[in-house]
Amino acid sequence: MKRNLIMMLLPLALLATTEAQAFDKATIDKGEYLSRAGDCIACHSIPGGKPFAGGLAIDSPFGKIYSTNITPSKTAGIGNYTLAQFDAALRHGKRADGSNLYPAMPYPDYAMLTADDVKALYAYFMDGVTAVDQKAPETALSFPFNQRWGISFWNWMFANDKAYQAKTSKSDSFNRGAYLVQGLGHCGSCHSPRGIAFQEKGYDESDNSFLSGGKIGIWTAPSLRGGDKGALANWSKAEIVDYLANGRNDTTAVAGEMTSVIEHSLSYLSQDDLAAIADYLKSLPGDGNSLAMTAAATKKTSDELDSAKVGINSGARLYLDSCGACHFTQGQGAARVFPKLDGNALVNAKDPSGLIHVVLAGARLPSTKGAPEALAMPAFGWRLNDDEVAQLLTFVRHAWNNQAPAVTAADVAKVRQTIPQTVMNATRP
Amino acid sequence: MAQQQKAVDVVLVGLGWTNAIMGMELAQEGLNVLALERGEDRDTVPDFAYPKMADELTYGVRYKLMVKPAKSTITVRHSLTETAVPYRHLGSFLPGDGVGGAGTHWNGHTWRPMPEELRLRSYVEETFGKNIMPMDMTIQDYGVSYEELEPHFDFFDKVLGVSGKAGNINGKIQAGGNPFEGPRSNEYPLPPLKRTLNDDLFTEAAKAQGLHPFPLPSSNASEAYTNPYGMQLGPCNFCGFCERYGCINYSKASPQTSILGALKQHKNFAYRTGCEVIKVNLADDKKTAIGVTYIDGNGEEVFQPAKIVVVGTFAYNNVRLLLLSGIGQPYDPVSNTGTVGRNYAYQMMGGATLFFKDKVFNPFIGAGSNATTVDDFAINQIDFAKEGFIGGSYLLAAQTNGQPIRNLPLPQGSPSWGTGWKKAAKDYYGHSMTISSHGSNMSYRDCYLSLDPNYKDNHGLPLLRLTFDWKENDLRMTQFMKNKVGALAKGLNPDFLKMSFKDIGTHYDVRPYQSTHNVGGAIMGTDPKTSVLNRYQQSWDVHNVFVLGSSSFPQNLQYNPTMLVGALAYWSAKAIREQYLKHPGPLVQA
């Protein structure tokens, strides 16, 4: 029977090779791998849509920018692009017709790419992706943002156009990590603060604000600086690798926009590349903002919760009734299953919006090869009102070692507006 | 004219434990695998999400996760001369509904069978002589040995993340474990669950009587755990909502928490819900199956072609599907011919409730398999010739939950309603513990399954008919256990003691719950004249049909069946992967 199966599969395999005549399979595979590293699919597909067919509306301060169809369709995609045109678009934000791409596309980061990697990506997008002959919606920003020529000035002011220069004083792993983080990974797009013209403040470690935290929608993209006193100072390299590969590690779990980055992209990277990324992040010095953790602070809150002598309508009581089953009174959760709340970055983010979102809408881990279980936290939005969520989170943000500003009912109401009722009701009896 | 779907290599009927395992094994082999599940899709979130699962009335009393009798049931009678009538309200057994099947609502008791149980007839005859077998007792050997299954027990232990303490590792007896168990190649993957007061009291009493107490092997995870498929379990928080519930906490091993997420990563695996398989379709020569026919959510009949059919539904449903499909010869107890339906067996339980005015047990701190047990009265420890029965039980002190509707035991003589009941409930809630016996049930010539001649389901197909009653052998066994439990209970000196064991002459009552462990009807064995399946759970008659689950057991174990059910599924999968795919055909020549 197994042999029959192989016979059945053979014609398919043959078909694939005949189609892939222009580039060899190794180059196409490499391009696919690099496209994962660049998370191209995230912006260039809509959920449930055809891969790379574009059409995703990306909110910018200037209006909705629609991602383009980057399948090899000659009518709707980039099928007519030459390698040079592809390179110009990818690394310099120039369309085939010579006009500028909006910098929602992270070409200032991709400028770092080597010619070989650009060629592999080209090979993949030409021969490894299925063409979709369906045009993505045109981006139509209002004046003056519809004047694409103006972007040339922006590019001149802010964009980077130097390919990555390896630092001979550093290890291969550092250089590989830096190349991936700064270049294809375009981590700075979310995790670096933006400047006055919405440009990333710094494109590499020479700038202290590089990867020191940013915003994406309502989510806080935390600082990724892993050196001494950095936000990730308490994370081992293995924990960083586990997080990037699987969205979870011994202390925390992914939520928000990063979830799909892990599911569709980072979980496909090799352990070596992920280790290189960890090496690089650990090399970035911190700015002294890491939370000081003591066992005494942990114990103080857990003693209070264990005593069960808490106010009837207090945040502590809400915690015991709604959160304690998984995160426990010590706020330590369980390694790789339930995130630790004591010292958690999302809990301690200055802007509580992401945390509020998790409580109202719940959260689900990505299913990856290494950690296939899509562990989920149920939504509590159907059950807790704005005031209760505010009380609960104010308690959590002061519990154990956490030190973050209080949450108001108005903060909660604002986030609640962004969540469809069906999402909050999904776990209602 | 039935619709026809695209052919697959393997179709799995049902998606509970057995077919989650088979799906994984055959997807790993690269085959195109499709599972058809009668019920709904189910996942921890949203279906078991906290706090909705902690609703005793909806799930515990009204059985929201179970098959509804109005949709699917069986008929029941005590003897060949009676007319069977439909089982209209769940009680005696609780077939699970939906993805995960009964594997979502179990308690997590995870025992291996004793080596002797897998070759019970041989063991009894070799040890006590052929003459001790009562007339018409039809117990048999499984045809597969404990040693052959050990690697699969070991792997399934790891898939489930069993919490426990080994008693016998490679023949070396370990302190704190079960000294009477078969040899294990490894310690349990997780340490035992934390102990509660009832455990400590039972342990003391058992030791005082020279017995060997140990923690019940549990699929409620004692710690955070990642299994060989990368699936993760969270530490159990003893919320007490296990049996009849899906776990809110990713703590109880279920197909969802242990296998399905990893299985869905395989692009060559797919499943469809709302698909009720009504027939395995056979080729003209009746030697092979060509697929299955199911009724989809719209009530349409659909033919699903497949090269291999794996039947893995609740035990008695497996038997019905074989009968409806004309696979094998139906069993006839009068002429003692045929095999399909033969050797149905159940289980024999009894219990004692001990009330202590001055002890507080905090019963709401519980878990499905939070218990201490002894196995000193197991099948390989009893002199059957001397005691006058064949069988055995383990005894356990369990604290599974403090749910107030179904778990409010009161001393004998307490009023059952009104002010008096309220006072007794207030006085005794949380002041009792239990010691129970969980035992074997032998199989007999006139206990069997067949198609009902009178009652039909909503598709016009005959219901399955169960003919079953208790036999003196098994009642004597439970009376023996009554003495043992009574002695242990009295050793603890309770203020009140309530004993509940079946007396000689008791008839089977289908209404109360007494373990949902149905077995038999499509049994495995060494002889096609007395078994439906060969030692690989492959149909003797139709070689590309495999039937998984406790319907394969020729008689019941003294233990909960899940471990053996899972290990047998791995055993069959290995035979398919290593032998059947290379040479499709009967794996055993009869």
Side-chain angles (χ1 to χ4, degrees):
Chain A
M1 167 148 303
K2 200 176 169 196
R3 197 199 301 154
N4 290 348
L5 211 75
I6 291 167
M7 296 298 281
M8 277 160 50
L9 292 172
L10 261 179
L12 271 177
L14 286 173
L15 200 68
T17 38
T18 44
E19 272 192 356
Q21 49 194 305
F23 292 96
D24 62 279
K25 189 171 177 302
T27 308
I28 294 168
D29 287 350
K30 182 181 167 193
E32 179 175 11
Y33 179 84
L34 292 168
S35 85
R36 298 281 190 184
D39 198 27
C40 310
I41 199 159
C43 286
H44 287 280
S45 309
I46 52 173
K50 297 245 166 66
F52 306 112
L56 187 76
I58 296 155
D59 280 317
S60 83
F62 322 107
K64 277 193 194 328
I65 297 173
Y66 287 95
S67 64
T68 52
N69 179 327
I70 54 168
T71 70
S73 162
K74 291 191 186 296
T75 53
I78 56 171
N80 295 318
Y81 273 55
T82 63
L83 173 58
Q85 287 170 326
F86 180 80
D87 182 55
L90 189 66
R91 300 202 311 120
H92 306 297
K94 288 279 181 214
R95 283 200 312 210
D97 64 4
S99 64
N100 287 313
L101 291 170
Y102 287 107
M105 151 88 174
Y107 58 83
D109 299 332
Y110 297 161
M112 305 262 175
L113 294 186
T114 63
D116 263 6
D117 282 355
V118 173
K119 189 178 153 198
L121 280 163
Y122 180 71
Y124 172 62
F125 282 108
M126 290 303 147
D127 288 347
V129 169
T130 308
V132 179
D133 295 326
Q134 193 186 341
K135 276 202 160 38
E138 288 285 332
T139 298
L141 301 186
S142 58
F143 185 82
F145 306 112
N146 59 353
Q147 303 298 300
R148 287 176 182 257
W149 57 268
I151 297 168
S152 298
F153 178 68
W154 189 95
N155 286 345
W156 179 71
M157 281 289 289
F158 303 116
N160 190 21
D161 60 357
K162 295 191 299 277
Y164 181 76
Q165 297 294 317
K167 290 192 162 54
T168 49
S169 60
K170 301 282 189 182
S171 69
D172 288 351
S173 181
F174 172 96
N175 279 306
R176 176 67 177 165
Y179 175 71
L180 287 167
V181 166
Q182 296 168 19
L184 264 181
H186 65 284
C187 308
S189 287
C190 294
H191 292 274
S192 288
R194 297 276 179 164
I196 185 137
F198 211 60
Q199 83 282 16
E200 292 172 36
K201 283 183 164 176
Y203 290 102
D204 60 34
E205 67 279 1
S206 65
D207 192 306
N208 282 337
S209 56
F210 181 59
L211 301 184
S212 67
K215 290 274 294 176
I216 171 156
I218 66 153
W219 299 92
T220 298
S223 167
L224 301 184
R225 300 181 74 89
D228 190 32
K229 297 201 170 71
L232 298 186
N234 297 329
W235 289 33
S236 68
K237 284 179 189 174
E239 283 176 321
I240 295 177
V241 170
D242 196 12
Y243 184 85
L244 296 176
N246 302 312
R248 66 204 83 181
N249 62 25
D250 283 355
T251 58
T252 198
V254 68
E257 302 287 345
M258 189 68 184
T259 310
S260 84
V261 179
I262 285 164
E263 176 151 25
H264 300 296
S265 300
L266 295 177
S267 61
Y268 289 85
L269 297 198
S270 69
Q271 289 291 300
D272 281 354
D273 274 351
L274 293 175
I277 291 173
D279 273 341
Y280 178 65
L281 296 180
K282 288 302 269 183
S283 78
L284 300 174
D287 49 10
N289 281 338
S290 63
L291 206 60
M293 304 279 287
T294 67
T298 303
K299 187 170 183 301
K300 186 162 175 275
T301 304
S302 57
D303 283 351
E304 180 198 347
L305 292 171
D306 285 343
S307 77
K309 287 181 184 138
V310 295
I312 189 87
N313 291 319
S314 63
R317 167 69 185 264
L318 287 162
Y319 179 84
L320 283 174
D321 287 351
S322 298
C323 319
C326 297
H327 299 284
F328 301 102
T329 54
Q330 299 89 340
Q332 304 303 300
R336 304 189 82 246
V337 184
F338 307 127
K340 188 168 166 172
L341 301 183
D342 185 9
N344 182 293
L346 183 69
V347 171
N348 286 284
K350 202 170 266 169
D351 181 343
S353 303
L355 183 63
I356 293 168
H357 195 283
V358 167
V359 170
L360 293 177
R364 187 178 283 275
L365 291 185
S367 173
T368 66
K369 262 203 165 49
E373 189 165 6
L375 288 158
M377 169 171 148
F380 288 87
W382 62 271
R383 188 164 152 260
L384 301 179
N385 65 31
D386 293 347
D387 213 43
E388 288 167 328
V389 174
Q391 278 215 53
L392 168 66
L393 291 183
T394 298
F395 167 79
V396 169
R397 278 157 69 89
H398 291 108
W400 312 290
N401 286 284
N402 300 333
Q403 297 171 29
V407 175
T408 67
D411 294 333
V412 181
K414 221 164 79 192
V415 177
R416 190 186 289 271
Q417 274 177 2
T418 69
I419 303 168
Q421 195 65 39
T422 49
V423 171
M424 289 187 281
N425 283 346
T427 53
R428 194 183 186 130
Chain B
M1 180 67 190
Q3 301 173 48
Q4 181 160 336
Q5 288 277 357
K6 225 174 92 195
V8 293
D9 295 319
V10 184
V11 67
L12 308 174
V13 183
L15 188 52
W17 272 125
T18 56
N19 273 341
I21 290 169
M22 191 55 92
M24 183 58 113
E25 290 281 315
L26 298 185
Q28 284 174 350
E29 196 63 28
L31 300 179
N32 196 353
V33 181
L34 170 72
L36 298 172
E37 166 57 46
R38 170 169 72 180
E40 295 170 14
D41 204 356
R42 294 195 200 283
D43 201 355
T44 302
V45 175
D47 303 294
F48 313 147
Y50 178 81
K52 77 173 161 189
M53 225 351 88
D55 177 347
E56 188 186 6
L57 189 60
T58 299
Y59 296 93
V61 177
R62 294 180 179 156
Y63 306 112
K64 195 167 177 190
L65 298 182
M66 316 302 169
V67 171
K68 303 288 167 287
K71 260 187 107 181
S72 167
T73 192
I74 65 169
T75 64
V76 185
R77 61 177 182 170
H78 282 138
S79 69
L80 299 177
T81 55
E82 292 173 10
T83 301
V85 290
Y87 179 53
R88 294 196 190 276
H89 180 82
L90 299 184
S92 191
F93 28 80
L94 310 174
D97 190 26
V99 168
T104 60
H105 73 70
W106 70 317
N107 258 335
H109 296 207
T110 316
W111 295 88
R112 294 180 180 193
M114 292 202 138
E116 292 82 359
E117 289 183 290
L118 296 177
R119 50 187 303 278
L120 190 61
R121 188 171 197 103
S122 299
Y123 170 72
V124 170
E125 289 181 355
E126 287 162 13
T127 318
F128 306 103
K130 285 189 184 200
N131 294 335
I132 92 153
M133 206 81 68
M135 248 245 292
D136 290 339
M137 186 189 277
T138 50
I139 60 174
Q140 290 182 191
D141 295 355
Y142 280 63
V144 59
S145 70
Y146 179 90
E147 292 71 26
E148 284 172 306
L149 291 181
E150 207 288 330
H152 307 299
F153 292 138
D154 186 60
F155 186 71
F156 198 37
D157 264 350
K158 295 180 168 91
V159 169
L160 295 162
V162 184
S163 306
K165 178 76 198 83
N168 178 348
I169 299 180
N170 295 321
K172 255 184 101 173
I173 301 303
Q174 311 286 314
N178 178 7
F180 310 116
E181 70 179 347
R184 309 167 48 85
S185 52
N186 286 295
E187 180 53 273
Y188 285 100
L190 290 174
L193 291 168
K194 290 213 166 70
R195 307 281 88 191
T196 39
L197 176 60
N198 61 316
D199 291 313
D200 296 341
L201 294 176
F202 180 77
T203 300
E204 239 172 82
K207 278 188 176 161
Q209 299 193 10
L211 306 176
H212 301 79
F214 60 95
L216 174 72
S218 165
S219 287
N220 313 139
S222 59
E223 292 174 2
Y225 178 73
T226 302
N227 81 5
Y229 300 132
M231 296 293 286
Q232 299 170 260
L233 295 167
C236 173
N237 66 24
F238 289 71
C239 80
F241 287 86
C242 300
E243 184 173 83
R244 308 186 185 195
Y245 306 89
C247 181
I248 60 166
N249 228 50
Y250 294 94
S251 305
K252 182 174 71 178
S254 67
Q256 278 82 354
T257 50
S258 301
I259 302 179
L260 293 176
L263 180 53
K264 290 176 195 173
Q265 282 265 330
H266 288 266
K267 300 299 171 226
N268 50 336
F269 169 80
Y271 67 108
R272 290 183 209 133
T273 55
C275 298
E276 184 178 355
V277 175
I278 55 165
K279 187 165 71 178
V280 178
N281 298 68
L282 301 182
D284 290 341
D285 65 1
K286 310 276 183 206
K287 292 223 157 57
T288 53
I290 55 169
V292 301
T293 298
Y294 67 87
I295 307 220
D296 71 10
N298 302 321
E300 303 282 335
E301 214 169 274
V302 183
F303 174 56
Q304 174 60 59
K307 292 182 192 138
I308 297 177
V309 176
V310 183
V311 179
T313 73
F314 195 76
Y316 62 68
N317 278 327
N318 285 351
V319 181
R320 179 170 182 248
L321 189 59
L322 296 183
L323 290 169
L324 290 176
S325 307
I327 296 176
Q329 194 192 336
Y331 174 64
D332 175 2
V334 178
S335 63
N336 201 8
T337 55
T339 55
V340 185
R342 188 174 181 274
N343 279 28
Y344 171 86
Y346 191 39
Q347 221 151 28
M348 181 56 84
M349 299 180 68
T353 311
L354 292 69
F355 295 89
F356 299 89
K357 286 180 183 158
D358 62 342
K359 289 190 172 64
V360 182
F361 290 92
N362 290 332
F364 36 82
I365 301 170
S369 40
N370 167 41
T372 298
T373 58
V374 298
D375 218 8
D376 294 70
F377 309 108
I379 277 177
N380 68 5
Q381 295 302 304
I382 299 175
D383 183 339
F384 298 152
K386 180 177 155 220
E387 304 297 345
F389 65 82
I390 295 168
S393 290
Y394 68 86
L395 309 186
L396 79 163
Q399 182 162 304
T400 57
N401 70 81
Q403 295 161 31
I405 303 175
R406 296 176 307 119
N407 197 355
L408 223 169
L410 299 177
Q412 226 133 14
S414 305
S416 57
W417 62 285
T419 315
W421 176 82
K422 282 184 191 167
K423 184 176 182 315
K426 212 171 157 183
D427 287 349
Y428 287 101
Y429 181 77
H431 288 279
S432 68
M433 63 173 274
T434 61
I435 301 176
S436 30
S437 65
H438 186 285
S440 60
N441 179 223
M442 298 302 117
S443 45
Y444 300 88
R445 179 167 169 175
D446 61 349
C447 294
Y448 74 112
L449 299 166
S450 54
L451 291 177
D452 191 278
N454 303 313
Y455 292 95
K456 294 188 172 21
D457 71 4
N458 49 347
H459 308 304
L461 300 168
L463 294 183
L464 191 72
R465 178 177 63 182
L466 165 61
T467 306
F468 179 79
D469 206 354
W470 301 120
K471 303 288 178 179
E472 192 177 335
N473 174 80
D474 308 79
L475 292 165
R476 287 172 76 107
M477 188 276 284
T478 203
Q479 287 295 308
F480 173 85
M481 294 304 159
K482 181 182 181 182
N483 288 331
K484 304 299 177 191
V485 170
L488 275 164
K490 281 176 196 127
L492 282 166
N493 205 16
D495 295 309
F496 302 100
L497 175 62
K498 200 155 92 180
M499 300 287 283
S500 171
F501 286 80
K502 292 175 193 77
D503 292 321
I504 305 293
T506 301
H507 288 285
Y508 172 57
D509 186 346
V510 76
R511 295 167 302 170
Y513 177 74
Q514 1 174 17
S515 110
T516 188
H517 307 148
N518 288 243
V519 305
I523 69 173
M524 59 195 294
T526 52
D527 180 354
K529 286 204 187 68
T530 54
S531 57
V532 177
L533 312 172
N534 66 24
R535 68 196 298 259
Y536 299 108
Q537 301 188 95
Q538 178 188 38
S539 163
W540 287 110
D541 301 271
V542 182
H543 67 72
N544 61 344
V545 171
F546 291 78
V547 185
L548 311 181
S550 64
S551 49
S552 296
F553 299 7
Q555 57 276 332
N556 215 334
L557 309 173
Q558 65 194 4
Y559 302 114
N560 310 61
T562 300
M563 172 51 68
L564 179 56
V565 161
L568 284 173
Y570 281 109
W571 164 252
S572 293
K574 181 178 153 78
I576 294 173
R577 292 179 77 161
E578 294 177 2
Q579 300 177 54
Y580 187 78
L581 292 177
K582 284 183 200 127
H583 304 288
L587 292 170
V588 179
Q589 293 304 328

